[in-house]
Amino acid sequence: MALSTEFTRLCGVRHPIVLAPMGGTAGGELASAVSRGGGLGLLGAGMGDRAWLERELPIVAEGSRAPWGVGFLTWAAEVGAVERALEFGPSAVMLSFGDPSAFAERIRGAGALLILQVTDLEEARRAVDLGADVIVAQGTESGGHGARRGRSTMAFVPVVVDLAGPVPVLAAGGMADGRGVAAALALGAAGALIGTRFQATAESLADPAITRALVEGRGQDTERNGVLDIVRGSRWPSKYTARTLAHPYLDRWSGREAELAADARAAQDYRDDVARGAVPPLPVWAGEGVDLITDLPSAAGLVHTLATQAEDALTRAGRG
């Protein structure tokens, strides 16, 4: 059974599986491996660091003849960084977290598909109005940043699907195996955007300590909070918090964010703790599906596994 959807036909990919453009982790090798495996690999350009882009863009552009793309943080990226990425001919550009209006026409003008991630219905309506080619509906189970006051994937995706009409929707948040992909399709989505599971692959740029933590992690130990953004001096808009694995500073400061933000000493304490190895140098961004991660496969092989598992799950459901 082929999992052909409106998304696979639009993007020219074999499987309705998309690599989340995780900043600093989804580099050129990972994105090209996902694309070679039949999914859509999205390079995680994040804030648009030019040196990082100049290193990673050629890797994905030259590493796969299949469609690939790049993702930016809308609130932080500069137009020049997006334009530079477009020079490499991506099939798609994904924008997340913020108003994408300043970038939309440039992306479409370059012939790339415009993928807009949304975390609430206001953002979803804006995505439709801007003419998004694909909309990503992100639920709160997702690892990394998402809506402070969002909805779970199962509740949010069908509402966005109904609102989007003919525009294909990808589900995101909490999916780490093929059963999650099958569930996304059952909810009316045209595919699944997956992050945490791909972070734990052979081609990921994540530090080995982080991938080890993901393999050993449990969903019940993840927490969505703004503490680590505050203590790290991150400029993320307050609308968005981040889901990570357990961290000493979450134990210390959860529920006291205003006090933390006003404590000038706290940030220095954090830097000192990082320097002496008392806390990890980076948070471990992880979604609630982290329990399902038990190994570090190749990304291309993982795409095949996810697709096969999804087909099996849908076949079993059809027998009911």
Side-chain angles (χ1 to χ4, degrees):
M1 178 173 63
L3 295 179
S4 176
T5 71
E6 186 62 32
F7 172 77
T8 62
R9 293 187 288 272
L10 176 66
C11 293
V13 297
R14 180 173 176 79
H15 303 301
I17 295 168
V18 183
L19 166 67
M22 301 168 287
T25 298
E29 291 289 351
L30 180 53
S32 60
V34 169
S35 289
R36 288 195 305 271
L40 180 66
L42 296 179
L43 189 75
M47 299 182 183
D49 179 81
R50 296 301 285 269
W52 193 90
L53 284 172
E54 296 298 335
R55 184 182 74 240
E56 299 297 331
L57 276 167
I59 295 174
V60 65
E62 299 167 9
S64 176
R65 297 177 183 272
W68 62 275
V70 57
F72 289 92
L73 297 176
T74 314
W75 65 268
E78 296 180 352
V79 169
V82 176
E83 291 178 336
R84 178 57 176 151
L86 289 169
E87 292 176 10
F88 285 80
S91 301
V93 175
M94 176 171 156
L95 303 174
S96 307
F97 309 118
D99 185 356
S101 302
F103 306 99
E105 288 306 319
R106 287 178 171 84
I107 293 167
R108 277 195 290 260
L113 295 173
L114 176 63
I115 303 177
L116 298 181
Q117 178 167 271
V118 303
T119 65
D120 59 33
L121 290 184
E122 180 183 355
E123 292 178 354
R125 292 187 185 97
R126 181 170 59 194
V128 171
D129 291 343
L130 284 173
D133 296 296
V134 179
I135 295 174
V136 177
Q138 186 203 47
T140 53
E141 300 97 321
S142 61
H145 286 84
R148 179 184 294 273
R149 300 183 183 277
R151 303 188 202 180
S152 69
T153 303
M154 181 166 283
F156 187 47
V157 169
V159 179
V160 177
V161 168
D162 289 349
L163 185 152
V167 181
V169 172
L170 300 177
M175 292 167 289
D177 68 5
R179 291 171 296 181
V181 177
L185 298 177
L187 291 173
L193 181 129
I194 299 174
T196 307
R197 171 65 272 204
F198 279 112
Q199 193 174 189
T201 54
E203 295 86 356
S204 169
L205 292 178
D207 186 274
I210 288 178
T211 56
R212 185 168 58 251
L214 293 174
V215 170
E216 297 172 354
R218 301 180 301 171
Q220 69 194 58
D221 294 329
T222 67
E223 181 176 343
R224 180 171 292 284
N225 208 289
V227 166
L228 295 179
D229 281 340
I230 295 171
V231 79
R232 293 165 60 236
S234 173
R235 297 182 292 114
W236 270 85
S238 60
K239 177 179 179 178
Y240 306 109
T241 53
R243 183 176 297 282
T244 70
L245 285 177
H247 189 284
Y249 273 70
L250 294 181
D251 295 338
R252 189 181 309 176
W253 290 102
S254 287
R256 301 165 56 205
E257 287 85 348
E259 181 182 346
L260 173 62
D263 188 339
R265 181 63 194 174
Q268 185 59 53
D269 289 343
Y270 175 80
R271 290 190 292 270
D272 291 345
D273 284 344
V274 169
R276 63 188 180 87
V279 300
L282 288 173
V284 181
W285 319 110
E288 290 185 358
V290 69
D291 307 72
L292 299 172
I293 299 174
T294 59
D295 58 359
L296 301 174
S298 70
L302 178 57
V303 172
H304 175 75
T305 298
L306 292 170
T308 300
Q309 290 174 340
E311 291 175 2
D312 290 345
L314 291 170
T315 298
R316 290 195 303 273
R319 290 175 182 162

